[in-house]
Amino acid sequence: MASIPANILSVSGLTRQIKDTLENSFRGVAVSGEISNYKKHTSGHLYFTLKDQDAQISAVMFRGNTMKMFFSLQDGMEVVCRGDVTVYEPRGNYQILVKEIHPRGEGALQLAFERLKKKLFEEGLFDESQKKPLPPFPERIAIVTSPTGAAIRDMISVMRRRFPSVEIVLLPVQVQGSGAAEQIAEAVDACNAFRAFDLIIVGRGGGSIEDLWAFNEEIVARAIHRSGIPVVSAVGHEIDFTICDFVADVRAATPSVAAELIAPDAQSLLESLRNISYTCIGSVNNRIQQLLRSLSSLSGHHAFLRCEEILARHTQNLDELYAAADRTIDLRFERINSELTFYQRQLHAFNPKTLLDRGYAIPRKDGKILRSVHEVHSGDRMHVFLRDGSIESQVHHIQPNHEQEKK
Amino acid sequence: MSKKKNEKSFEESFERLSDIVEKLEADETTLDDSLTLYEEALELSQFCVERLTQSQARLKELKKRADGIFEIVDSEIS
């Protein structure tokens, strides 16, 4: 029988000694490796394994230490962790308790970006067929961004200038640092819960890859992808591409560009409205001319001369209108607006119904304007419309013009 | 989507206006119809001009109330 050493340790005693030795020797160590088996517990603590080709070590990062992290971990990511080695006595495990974590070198984030991009691409999140068209005239838009950044100010000023009637609703979020991605994703979901938005802009101004990182997080990509409301991504500068840009329905190079893109130009719309008004004037004027031409078949009728007079006045007014319009082409927004109001008043004046004011009457039968005496028969009921009302009447006698001429 | 009940949207009005112009230009409408269309066009263009020139003075914010319902309120940011 082998001799039993005198100093026998209990399991607890041995473990305690290992713990003391390890924890005193490996305090504040920095270790680099690749993340695997990453899990985020609902408590907010992060669990993962740090490994290299030949070894691995368990790692835990408590919620309190994650507050300064600007990025979320993913398997395969190369990182540098700083922390203390601890021993968990009940299991006889050792692990590194991570206090700080950084991507390892500049390439690490780029790699993480490429990996997520590939994964989401393969899942179809970037499919063109899923992109929603932007509404031509958004009336209420949501902006998910920082309340204090330059981005919100730029977007508001561009939209107020181009399309002042649009209602802008801000969802203030943190756009960088720990928790930013979660806030952005929640805000996009909130817009969809509220529903009554025509459009969502998600964005921020320029910054380093670390600053923009929240927009490269999967949680943001998923929220944008499930949004039923079209999303415009407006992150950073022209050269910055984020995952958010790929999954959004439209990518704008900058926040200002997003505002230009979604807000129609009120001034050019006012010009279109003006053109539409012209066309209406023109068409109705043609109608009047047609009417007068048919009236002119009643040559010799005393109304004819007066009608010509009216037409001449109309035509003159029209010419003036067109001339006035040409002069206003270069004028400012407010001016165009006041002139439009003026044209509209003029339009009212052209309304052929003003003929009634001049003493003419419109005879109607069954709601249709009568153009010929042949459209009624003796005994028919009809209405004669005057400026201030109508007269229900009955036809007693019909006398076509040619008979009148024969006499 | 965001339009309130009984309120026509700018988009619908603008489309209708273009529609009316097309009809008036087609020269197939009767005088009655063109008068009716003309009056409608006046109203629509008035509405569109008003919508284009009115401005939303305040920035708004979407807030979640304690009962979980979202509402739009005036923003503290000017």
Side-chain angles (χ1 to χ4, degrees), chain A residues 61-70 99 174 177-179:
Chain A
M61 191 169 183
F62 292 128
R63 184 188 153 91
N65 290 321
T66 63
M67 294 305 174
K68 275 179 269 167
M69 272 174 77
F70 70 87
K99 301 270 178 64
Q174 210 180 307
S178 170

Side-chain angles (χ1 to χ4, degrees), chain A residues 126-146:
Chain A
F126 308 156
D127 283 2
E128 285 301 321
S129 63
Q130 296 198 23
K131 306 272 184 195
K132 292 177 277 298
L134 301 187
F137 307 110
E139 301 191 12
R140 180 190 283 154
I141 63 153
I143 301 185
V144 177
T145 193
S146 160

